[in-house]
């Protein structure tokens, strides 16, 4: 049976009145969820691009779409806490997912459409609507791609999964379909791509720009990698830029890469100088100057691949995947196994997840290929055992990881590894950690934690207290540092003086030491400050060394960072 026939059969089964029928296979918006290209024979094109790298647009409120909250989420209940009659209802695994639907429109998909047999590349070409750029830089990038047919093949095969959804959304918005090719130059359609500037996802959103366009970024997920949400945000952003630059798509793309404020200033400079203000006339960084020519080169190759000695894989004019709403927390490994997918393939379709568990309250849906969606639902109905082995736990106070591990019943090494906590760090109060489920922790993670979870750490060092000391006439910062077993740089930082200062008269200074020893050593420290020469050092010597040994120089700077110190009279060098 051909893939299209299986899709048609799946559609027919979706409306058949069974106990748990597939009510509809729906369109999903878009995205590229690809496995990172592991080949090392060809490197991607130069000039990694980022979105809005300088200035960020205003936030846009969203109450609908793929990131909207999922109502009606119910907690999972432990087997031992329910009567037998209730257990069968709550633990019915078929309740863990909802009917497949379009995350944007909710309209039923028509799978029997004869247009589904058409080649999608033709549909992309007929929707081209941007002016052509013809320059030496375009020729340069055409030659680059034409000389790497294997790279082009891998890139287009990855993108082929998601181009249908991008094109559908572009045509719905009445935007030029060549914008569907933009992820080719942004990330080679790799949703796991991360630039050195921290731009992430196939559309390469910077963190602040992503937040402005409602892309959640927390410990459980990063929606810059979500193939649906990031595409929605990217097209929102591109549409806004196009209005800002009066319909000029070349300037809009430059702003997408460089930031709209930078492009506006470049235009203003040319206007003051009486120069043209089109894309090619502006003074821009090299990355932005190559950006539109690279995009034009990809467009030219898609328009006529034979002219460059290349061939593009045929694309079917129907969605590659469907959206399956999630109603119960579920391990990523369990979901992948039920879908009949390898773990990496499942993550490639759902790359936004940062942890090994899918939170129903924070993940509206998962994406699955047509050929796997029906099997996922059938296997889920037959599943026995827990769906999730992980849950969230919030620290009630600041504590060591060993204490957290004891409270949650985990090995400390496992706790630190799954939450990426370095050694010798404290977990601060209010931090959310991923922990193993137990008979006492069986409820699904609530929405406010799924959307706002964060983890804050602090060095595991003794708390410090400010202690006053006296610098004698003729003392140097270096001498004081040796006397009190700290560094000259620390004394200089704590007192806002130069570490080479020699005091021309007595002066009050401060140092820091552990709180538990501050009271006991105050008299000894004062004695050390009043003493002179060798006798002073001998008087304070052992006691001062014992008190300051705990205040390791490497910890003092971090501990007093942000502490306001009362002004002191400073000596001149």
């Amino acid at each position: 049976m051909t893939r299209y026939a299986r899709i048609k059969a799946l559609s027919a089964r979706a409306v058949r009145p069974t106990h748990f029928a597939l009510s509809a296979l729906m369109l999903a918006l878009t995205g590229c969820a690809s496995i990172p290209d592991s080949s090392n024979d060809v490197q991607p094109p130069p000039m990694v691009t980022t979105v809005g790298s300088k200035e960020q647009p205003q936030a846009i409120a969203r109450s609908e779409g793929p990131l909207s909250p999922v109502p009606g989420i119910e907690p999972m209940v432990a087997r031992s806490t329910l009567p037998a009659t209730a257990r069968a209802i709550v633990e019915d695994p078929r309740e863990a997912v909802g009917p497949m639907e379009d995350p944007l429109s909710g309209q039923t998909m028509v799978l029997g459409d004869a247009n589904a047999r058409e080649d999608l590349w033709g549909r992309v070409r007929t929707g081209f609507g941007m002016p052509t750029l013809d320059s030496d830089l375009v020729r340069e990038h055409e030659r680059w791609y034409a000389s790497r047919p294997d790279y082009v093949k891998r890139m287009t095969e990855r993108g082929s999964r998601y181009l249908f959804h991008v094109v559908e959304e572009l045509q719905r918005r009445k935007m030029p379909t060549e914008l569907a090719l933009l992820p080719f130059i942004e990330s080679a359609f790799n949703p796991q791509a991360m630039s050195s500037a921290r731009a992430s996802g196939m559309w390469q959103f910077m963190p602040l720009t992503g937040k402005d366009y409602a892309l959640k970024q927390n410990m459980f997920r990063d929606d810059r990698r979500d193939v649906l949400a990031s595409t929605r945000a990217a097209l929102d952003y591109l549409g806004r830029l196009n209005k800002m630059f009066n319909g000029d798509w070349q300037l809009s793309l430059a702003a997408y890469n460089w930031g709209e404020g930078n492009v506006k200033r470049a235009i203003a400079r040319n206007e003051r100088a009486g120069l043209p203000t089109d894309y090619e006339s502006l003074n821009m960084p090299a990355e932005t100057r190559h950006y539109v020519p690279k995009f034009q080169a990809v467009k030219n190759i898609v328009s006529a691949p034979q002219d460059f000695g290349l061939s593009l894989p045929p694309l079917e004019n129907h969605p590659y995947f469907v959206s399956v709403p999630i109603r119960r927390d579920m391990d990523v490994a369990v979901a992948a196994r039920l879908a009949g997918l390898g773990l990496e393939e499942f993550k490639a379709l759902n790359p936004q997840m940062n942890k090994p568990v899918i939170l129903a309250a924070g993940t509206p849906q998962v994406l699955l290929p047509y050929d796997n969606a029906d099997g996922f639902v059938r296997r889920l109905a037959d599943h026995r055992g827990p769906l999730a082995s992980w849950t969230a736990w919030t620290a009630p106070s600041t504590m060591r990881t060993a204490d957290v591990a004891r409270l949650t019943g985990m090995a400390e090494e496992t706790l630190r590894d799954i939450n990426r906590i370095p050694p010798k760090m404290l977990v601060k109060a209010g931090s959310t950690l991923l922990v193993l489920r137990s008979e006492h922790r069986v409820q699904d993670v609530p929405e406010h934690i799924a959307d706002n979870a964060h983890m804050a750490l602090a060095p595991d060092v003794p708390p410090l207290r400010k202690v006053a000391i006296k610098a004698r006439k003729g003392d140097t910062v270096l001498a004081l540092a040796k006397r009190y077993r700290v560094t000259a740089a620390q004394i200089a930082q704590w007192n806002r003086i130069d570490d080479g200062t020699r005091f021309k008269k007595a002066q009050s200074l401060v140092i820091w030491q552990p709180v538990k020893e501050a009271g006991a050593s105050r008299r000894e420290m004062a004695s050390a400050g009043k003493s002179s020469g060798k006798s002073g050092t001998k008087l304070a010597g052992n006691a001062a060394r014992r008190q300051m040994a705990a205040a390791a120089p490497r910890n003092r700077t971090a501990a007093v960072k942000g502490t306001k110190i009362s002004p002191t009279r400073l000596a001149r060098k």
Side-chain angles (χ1 to χ4, degrees), residues 245-265:
F245 293 101
N246 302 315
D248 189 319
W249 277 111
Q250 292 178 357
L251 292 177
S252 302
L253 291 174
Y256 185 83
N257 172 253
W258 190 23
E260 59 265 34
N262 290 315
V263 175
K264 283 183 175 180
R265 284 188 286 272

Side-chain angles (χ1 to χ4, degrees), residues 11-26:
S11 177
R13 190 184 305 133
V15 297
R16 193 178 301 155
T18 60
H19 180 66
F20 189 74
L22 294 175
S23 62
L25 291 176
M26 310 302 297

Side-chain angles (χ1 to χ4, degrees), residues 183-245:
F184 282 127
I185 67 170
E186 284 289 345
S187 63
F189 265 111
N190 177 9
Q192 300 283 6
M194 174 74 78
S195 77
S196 58
R198 295 177 59 224
S200 183
M202 70 180 189
W203 294 94
Q204 288 289 280
F205 270 97
M206 295 290 287
L208 287 178
T209 315
K211 289 179 180 178
D212 286 340
Y213 283 87
L215 298 179
K216 284 278 186 178
Q217 300 158 59
N218 59 35
M219 64 174 291
F220 286 107
R221 76 181 197 262
D222 186 342
D223 286 340
R224 294 179 298 163
R225 300 195 303 263
D226 185 300
V227 296
L228 299 178
S230 67
T231 300
R232 182 267 306 158
L235 299 189
D236 284 351
Y237 188 19
L238 286 164
R240 175 180 175 272
L241 291 173
N242 191 244
K243 291 179 181 178
M244 182 183 297
F245 293 101

Side-chain angles (χ1 to χ4, degrees), residues 204-514:
Q204 288 289 280
F205 270 97
M206 295 290 287
L208 287 178
T209 315
K211 289 179 180 178
D212 286 340
Y213 283 87
L215 298 179
K216 284 278 186 178
Q217 300 158 59
N218 59 35
M219 64 174 291
F220 286 107
R221 76 181 197 262
D222 186 342
D223 286 340
R224 294 179 298 163
R225 300 195 303 263
D226 185 300
V227 296
L228 299 178
S230 67
T231 300
R232 182 267 306 158
L235 299 189
D236 284 351
Y237 188 19
L238 286 164
R240 175 180 175 272
L241 291 173
N242 191 244
K243 291 179 181 178
M244 182 183 297
F245 293 101
N246 302 315
D248 189 319
W249 277 111
Q250 292 178 357
L251 292 177
S252 302
L253 291 174
Y256 185 83
N257 172 253
W258 190 23
E260 59 265 34
N262 290 315
V263 175
K264 283 183 175 180
R265 284 188 286 272
I267 290 173
R269 284 193 297 268
N270 277 26
E271 286 176 340
R272 289 193 298 268
L275 298 173
T277 57
D278 59 290
Y279 169 80
E280 292 188 278
S281 300
L282 299 182
N283 184 17
M284 298 176 290
E287 178 184 308
T288 309
R289 178 157 299 285
H290 281 257
Y291 190 74
V292 176
K294 189 188 300 185
F295 176 75
Q296 182 68 54
V298 172
K299 176 182 174 181
N300 292 346
I301 290 171
V302 170
S303 296
Q306 67 280 359
D307 292 349
F308 303 92
L310 298 171
S311 61
L312 302 179
L315 300 186
E316 296 172 327
N317 189 32
H318 62 74
Y320 176 83
F321 54 75
V322 295
S323 169
V324 183
I326 294 296
R327 294 175 176 171
R328 291 287 184 271
D329 291 358
M330 188 181 306
D331 285 354
V332 172
V334 170
R337 178 169 52 81
L338 293 175
L341 293 172
L343 190 58
E344 290 306 313
E345 175 68 8
F346 183 87
K347 288 180 178 179
L349 287 166
N350 302 277
Q352 71 274 20
M353 297 162 195
N354 292 332
K355 299 296 182 182
V357 64
I358 305 167
L359 301 186
T363 306
Q365 69 276 310
V366 295
L367 304 182
L368 297 175
Y370 273 142
D371 296 342
N372 300 82
D374 187 38
F376 176 76
V377 176
R378 286 188 288 101
R379 295 185 191 99
L380 185 62
D382 297 332
H383 180 75
R384 297 295 177 266
L387 290 171
S389 55
W390 299 97
T391 188
W393 179 86
T394 301
S397 61
T398 299
M399 57 182 66
R400 292 182 170 88
T401 53
D403 297 327
V404 176
R406 186 173 61 255
L407 287 174
T408 58
M410 295 177 63
E412 183 181 3
E413 184 178 355
T414 303
L415 177 77
R416 286 199 295 104
D417 183 61
I418 197 68
N419 291 283
R420 300 177 183 175
I421 303 174
K424 298 182 180 179
M425 298 297 287
L426 298 174
V427 177
K428 299 187 72 174
S431 294
T432 301
L433 276 67
L434 194 68
V435 301
L436 289 170
R437 284 198 178 204
S438 69
E439 60 181 5
H440 305 296
R441 291 188 298 271
V442 295
Q443 292 187 335
D444 286 354
V445 177
E447 184 177 340
H448 71 277
I449 292 180
D451 281 344
N452 303 297
H454 72 282
M455 183 172 61
L457 304 174
D460 188 4
V461 296
L464 300 177
R465 181 176 179 179
K466 183 168 64 176
V467 176
I469 64 171
K470 279 283 188 179
R472 303 182 302 274
K473 179 180 179 180
D475 270 345
T476 64
V477 171
L478 181 61
L480 290 173
K482 290 180 178 179
R483 188 179 304 163
Y484 297 113
R485 297 296 297 271
V486 294
T487 67
Q490 286 174 320
I491 292 180
Q493 179 185 2
W494 294 336
N495 296 277
R496 299 171 187 163
I497 58 178
D498 191 276
D499 59 7
T501 298
R502 179 181 292 276
F503 299 95
K504 295 184 178 180
K505 57 182 178 180
Q507 183 168 322
S508 296
L509 300 174
V510 295
I511 62 172
W512 295 79
Q513 66 178 110

Side-chain angles (χ1 to χ4, degrees), residues 506-553:
Q507 183 168 322
S508 296
L509 300 174
V510 295
I511 62 172
W512 295 79
Q513 66 178 110
V515 169
K516 62 181 180 180
E517 298 176 357
S521 65
R522 186 178 295 277
R523 234 173 307 169
E524 294 169 327
M525 299 288 288
S527 297
K530 291 177 182 177
S531 301
S532 61
K534 293 182 179 179
S535 60
T537 302
K538 184 176 181 180
L539 179 65
N542 293 335
R545 287 187 180 91
R546 283 196 303 271
Q547 307 309 323
M548 297 308 296

